[in-house]
Short mmCIF file of all heavy atoms in Angstrom, two decimals:
data_model
loop_
_atom_site.label_atom_id
_atom_site.label_comp_id
_atom_site.label_asym_id
_atom_site.label_seq_id
_atom_site.Cartn_x
_atom_site.Cartn_y
_atom_site.Cartn_z
N GLU A 350 121.35 166.94 75.69
CA GLU A 350 122.57 167.75 75.76
C GLU A 350 122.55 168.87 74.73
O GLU A 350 123.05 169.98 74.98
CB GLU A 350 123.79 166.84 75.54
CG GLU A 350 125.14 167.52 75.67
CD GLU A 350 125.44 168.04 77.07
OE1 GLU A 350 124.67 167.77 78.01
OE2 GLU A 350 126.46 168.73 77.22
N SER A 357 121.96 167.46 83.43
CA SER A 357 122.00 166.79 84.73
C SER A 357 123.14 165.78 84.77
O SER A 357 123.63 165.30 83.73
CB SER A 357 120.68 166.07 85.02
OG SER A 357 120.54 164.92 84.20
N LYS A 358 123.56 165.45 85.97
CA LYS A 358 124.57 164.43 86.18
C LYS A 358 124.08 163.07 85.66
O LYS A 358 124.85 162.29 85.08
CB LYS A 358 124.90 164.34 87.67
CG LYS A 358 126.09 163.45 88.01
CD LYS A 358 126.32 163.39 89.50
CE LYS A 358 126.89 164.68 90.03
NZ LYS A 358 128.36 164.81 89.74
N TYR A 361 124.47 162.69 81.82
CA TYR A 361 125.85 162.35 81.48
C TYR A 361 126.16 160.89 81.82
O TYR A 361 126.87 160.20 81.08
CB TYR A 361 126.82 163.27 82.22
CG TYR A 361 126.97 164.65 81.60
CD1 TYR A 361 127.26 165.75 82.39
CD2 TYR A 361 126.85 164.85 80.22
CE1 TYR A 361 127.42 167.02 81.84
CE2 TYR A 361 127.00 166.11 79.66
CZ TYR A 361 127.28 167.19 80.47
OH TYR A 361 127.42 168.44 79.92
N LEU A 364 124.66 158.73 79.16
CA LEU A 364 125.45 158.83 77.94
C LEU A 364 126.69 157.93 78.04
O LEU A 364 127.04 157.22 77.09
CB LEU A 364 125.87 160.29 77.69
CG LEU A 364 124.80 161.18 77.06
CD1 LEU A 364 125.18 162.65 77.20
CD2 LEU A 364 124.61 160.83 75.59
N ARG A 378 134.46 157.66 78.65
CA ARG A 378 135.31 158.36 79.61
C ARG A 378 134.99 159.85 79.63
O ARG A 378 134.95 160.49 80.68
CB ARG A 378 136.78 158.17 79.25
CG ARG A 378 137.33 156.77 79.52
CD ARG A 378 138.85 156.80 79.53
NE ARG A 378 139.40 155.45 79.58
CZ ARG A 378 139.87 154.78 78.53
NH1 ARG A 378 139.84 155.35 77.33
NH2 ARG A 378 140.35 153.57 78.65
N LYS A 379 134.75 160.41 78.44
CA LYS A 379 134.45 161.84 78.33
C LYS A 379 133.23 162.22 79.16
O LYS A 379 133.27 163.20 79.93
CB LYS A 379 134.22 162.20 76.85
CG LYS A 379 133.65 163.59 76.62
CD LYS A 379 133.28 163.78 75.15
CE LYS A 379 132.49 165.06 74.95
NZ LYS A 379 132.06 165.23 73.53
N PHE A 380 132.17 161.43 79.05
CA PHE A 380 130.95 161.80 79.76
C PHE A 380 131.02 161.43 81.24
O PHE A 380 130.33 162.05 82.06
CB PHE A 380 129.73 161.19 79.07
CG PHE A 380 129.36 161.91 77.80
CD1 PHE A 380 129.65 161.36 76.56
CD2 PHE A 380 128.77 163.16 77.85
CE1 PHE A 380 129.34 162.04 75.39
CE2 PHE A 380 128.45 163.85 76.70
CZ PHE A 380 128.74 163.29 75.45
N CYS A 381 131.83 160.47 81.59
CA CYS A 381 132.07 160.22 83.02
C CYS A 381 132.76 161.43 83.64
O CYS A 381 132.39 161.87 84.74
CB CYS A 381 132.94 158.96 83.19
SG CYS A 381 132.03 157.41 83.12
N ASP A 382 133.74 161.97 82.93
CA ASP A 382 134.46 163.16 83.46
C ASP A 382 133.52 164.35 83.57
O ASP A 382 133.58 165.10 84.56
CB ASP A 382 135.63 163.50 82.53
CG ASP A 382 136.73 162.44 82.56
OD1 ASP A 382 136.76 161.65 83.53
OD2 ASP A 382 137.53 162.38 81.60
N LEU A 383 132.67 164.55 82.56
CA LEU A 383 131.71 165.66 82.62
C LEU A 383 130.73 165.49 83.77
O LEU A 383 130.36 166.47 84.44
CB LEU A 383 130.96 165.76 81.29
CG LEU A 383 131.74 166.28 80.09
CD1 LEU A 383 130.93 166.14 78.81
CD2 LEU A 383 132.15 167.74 80.31
N ALA A 384 130.31 164.26 84.01
CA ALA A 384 129.38 164.00 85.11
C ALA A 384 130.00 164.34 86.46
O ALA A 384 129.35 164.90 87.34
CB ALA A 384 128.93 162.53 85.09
N MET A 385 131.28 164.02 86.62
CA MET A 385 131.96 164.28 87.89
C MET A 385 132.11 165.78 88.17
O MET A 385 132.26 166.18 89.33
CB MET A 385 133.34 163.62 87.89
CG MET A 385 133.30 162.10 87.82
SD MET A 385 132.50 161.34 89.26
CE MET A 385 133.74 161.64 90.51
N LEU A 386 132.04 166.60 87.13
CA LEU A 386 132.20 168.04 87.32
C LEU A 386 130.94 168.70 87.85
O LEU A 386 131.00 169.79 88.44
CB LEU A 386 132.59 168.70 85.99
CG LEU A 386 133.97 168.33 85.42
CD1 LEU A 386 134.17 168.97 84.06
CD2 LEU A 386 135.08 168.74 86.38
N LEU A 387 129.78 168.06 87.65
CA LEU A 387 128.52 168.66 88.10
C LEU A 387 128.30 168.38 89.59
O LEU A 387 128.64 167.31 90.09
CB LEU A 387 127.35 168.10 87.29
CG LEU A 387 127.29 168.47 85.81
CD1 LEU A 387 126.06 167.84 85.16
CD2 LEU A 387 127.27 169.98 85.62
#
Side-chain angles (χ1 to χ4, degrees):
E350 184 64 7
S357 71
K358 188 181 287 283
Y361 281 149
L364 280 165
R378 288 197 188 99
K379 169 188 170 183
F380 285 105
C381 278
D382 292 341
L383 288 172
M385 295 297 288
L386 294 175
L387 293 180

